[in-house]
Amino acid sequence: MTTALLAPTALPSATLAVASPWASRSLTLPALGNLDAYISAVNRMPLLTLEEEQGAARRLRDHNDIDAAGQLVMSHLRLVVSIARQYLGYGLPHGDLIQEGNVGLMKAVKRFDPEQGVRLVSYAMHWIKAEIHEYILKNWRMVKVATTKAQRKLFFNLRSMKQGFRAEALDGDTHREAFSDGEVDVVARDLKVKPEEVREMETRLSGGDVVLDPSPGDDGEDSFGPIAFLADATHEPTAMIESAQRDVLATEGIATAMSELDDRSRRIVTERWLKVNDDGSGGMTLHELAAEYGVSAERVRQIEVAAMKKMRKALAAFA
């Protein structure tokens, strides 16, 4: 994904030449894949004054000016780099975090209204963080650990709050991993969530992804995994009893239910539900049975429905 890092910021020309101070500066983006050069380049890009920012935003809003959108995006790329650096502790590539933040920046530029009285830098922070948060939640683990609003809030605050508690520890136990009951109550109160939600998220974060059925090793033999500890449900007593009951219903029960039908109904049910030819196809169609008995296809369907209802009652009595 890092090789596509500059894709969100690519404009009709890699060199910007617009109104002052942009007209006096020619900035060429570095080659794809060089993250350090990219960061260095975006940090050298000029910032917009309030008047320039509002003018570009109005041109984008009123005239769909793509050059104005590019000017707004390019002047705020350093903001994305700064925000993305705050999330390096989650073990995801810095380039991918920047790329997702660039997507959020472009969404912010598209929705930015200069008449609201706020600068784009303040408005865009929410969108940048939202995209980065979504990327982290989807890619931090194979199994998504946070889905509700409360869980997302805990995911991005629990670790930093735990580090704060350990730094302030008076008992010298700075290596203790789990929250104490008092710390759980403080976290729940500060983040406005339930204490049990704090404990559940702490349990989720302390664990990791485990492959139940590992792939064979280099020697061709199967690796030993947690799936070996799972019970075989096929020999569980309840499952065995249910399987035996299904077998009886499928043989003796169906035979008993079919004996309750008249010859015509029995043949219609057999052709429609029980007959399988050598080529895998079923029995006769409604129209074929209707032609044989000299009635309409709808009448054959009605007979079939009545026969099935009668068989269900007979099966219920048999069971």
Side-chain angles (χ1 to χ4, degrees), residues 112-185:
F112 180 60
D113 185 358
E115 312 304 333
Q116 293 295 325
V118 297
R119 295 296 299 267
L120 177 58
V121 64
S122 300
Y123 180 79
M125 289 182 65
H126 164 76
W127 291 93
I128 295 170
K129 290 183 177 180
E131 288 296 322
I132 293 177
H133 285 183
E134 191 66 27
Y135 169 74
I136 292 174
L137 290 174
K138 287 181 178 179
N139 295 276
W140 187 64
R141 290 243 183 100
M142 183 180 298
V143 179
K144 198 170 184 178
V145 296
T147 54
T148 67
K149 183 178 180 180
Q151 289 174 348
R152 294 167 69 98
K153 187 187 300 183
L154 285 167
F155 179 86
F156 289 105
N157 289 277
L158 210 58
R159 182 165 52 181
S160 59
M161 297 185 73
K162 179 181 289 187
Q163 292 173 349
F165 286 136
R166 299 300 170 264
E168 298 173 359
L170 299 179
D171 55 2
D173 188 8
T174 58
H175 300 290
R176 177 166 47 89
E177 291 295 332
F179 279 120
S180 65
D181 292 339
E183 290 171 344
V184 168
D185 294 336

Side-chain angles (χ1 to χ4, degrees), residues 2-315:
T2 307
T3 57
L5 175 61
L6 300 182
T9 61
L11 297 173
S13 173
T15 301
L16 295 179
V18 292
S20 177
W22 295 75
S24 60
R25 301 186 63 171
S26 179
L27 295 175
T28 303
L29 293 178
L32 293 178
N34 193 334
L35 182 59
D36 292 336
Y38 170 79
I39 295 175
S40 177
V42 299
N43 285 333
R44 294 195 308 270
M45 291 184 180
L47 299 176
L48 296 177
T49 64
L50 176 60
E51 293 75 14
E52 291 170 337
E53 180 181 291
Q54 291 184 338
R58 291 190 180 98
R59 293 198 305 275
L60 174 61
R61 180 194 61 188
D62 300 335
H63 307 291
N64 198 27
D65 189 337
I66 300 301
D67 290 334
Q71 188 176 345
L72 292 170
V73 170
M74 301 292 263
S75 63
H76 289 80
L77 290 178
R78 68 178 69 193
L79 173 64
V80 176
V81 173
S82 176
I83 294 176
R85 190 176 293 117
Q86 301 171 16
Y87 296 93
L88 291 177
Y90 292 96
L92 297 172
H94 192 192
D96 289 353
L97 294 172
I98 293 175
Q99 179 170 268
E100 296 300 322
N102 285 342
V103 174
L105 173 60
M106 289 190 293
K107 290 182 178 180
V109 167
K110 182 179 180 180
R111 294 167 172 81
F112 180 60
D113 185 358
E115 312 304 333
Q116 293 295 325
V118 297
R119 295 296 299 267
L120 177 58
V121 64
S122 300
Y123 180 79
M125 289 182 65
H126 164 76
W127 291 93
I128 295 170
K129 290 183 177 180
E131 288 296 322
I132 293 177
H133 285 183
E134 191 66 27
Y135 169 74
I136 292 174
L137 290 174
K138 287 181 178 179
N139 295 276
W140 187 64
R141 290 243 183 100
M142 183 180 298
V143 179
K144 198 170 184 178
V145 296
T147 54
T148 67
K149 183 178 180 180
Q151 289 174 348
R152 294 167 69 98
K153 187 187 300 183
L154 285 167
F155 179 86
F156 289 105
N157 289 277
L158 210 58
R159 182 165 52 181
S160 59
M161 297 185 73
K162 179 181 289 187
Q163 292 173 349
F165 286 136
R166 299 300 170 264
E168 298 173 359
L170 299 179
D171 55 2
D173 188 8
T174 58
H175 300 290
R176 177 166 47 89
E177 291 295 332
F179 279 120
S180 65
D181 292 339
E183 290 171 344
V184 168
D185 294 336
V186 172
V187 173
R189 183 176 62 253
D190 291 347
L191 299 181
K192 296 180 175 58
V193 296
K194 299 177 181 178
E196 51 268 26
E197 291 177 327
V198 177
R199 295 188 179 92
E200 179 183 357
M201 181 55 64
E202 183 185 15
T203 302
R204 293 188 181 191
L205 294 178
S206 62
D209 293 331
V210 178
V211 180
L212 288 179
D213 190 8
S215 57
D218 296 335
D219 55 359
E221 295 184 0
D222 292 338
S223 301
F224 187 80
I227 196 171
F229 295 99
L230 298 180
D232 185 1
T234 57
H235 298 289
E236 198 271 328
T238 303
M240 295 178 66
I241 293 174
E242 292 177 351
S243 178
Q245 290 176 342
R246 284 194 299 269
D247 292 341
V248 172
L249 284 175
T251 53
E252 299 178 17
I254 293 294
T256 301
M258 292 286 286
S259 65
E260 300 289 331
L261 304 178
D262 58 77
D263 293 340
R264 184 172 64 170
S265 298
R266 188 182 305 114
R267 182 153 188 270
I268 290 175
V269 171
T270 301
E271 291 289 340
R272 297 283 294 155
W273 293 94
L274 302 178
K275 188 174 182 179
V276 180
N277 297 322
D278 295 337
D279 58 358
S281 61
M284 301 173 66
T285 65
L286 289 176
H287 292 282
E288 291 172 342
L289 289 167
E292 178 178 333
Y293 288 108
V295 296
S296 65
E298 174 61 21
R299 178 56 185 156
V300 174
R301 189 193 66 81
Q302 293 174 357
I303 295 174
E304 178 187 356
V305 171
M308 296 296 290
K309 186 180 299 184
K310 190 172 184 179
M311 288 183 65
R312 291 191 188 96
K313 292 182 179 179
L315 284 171

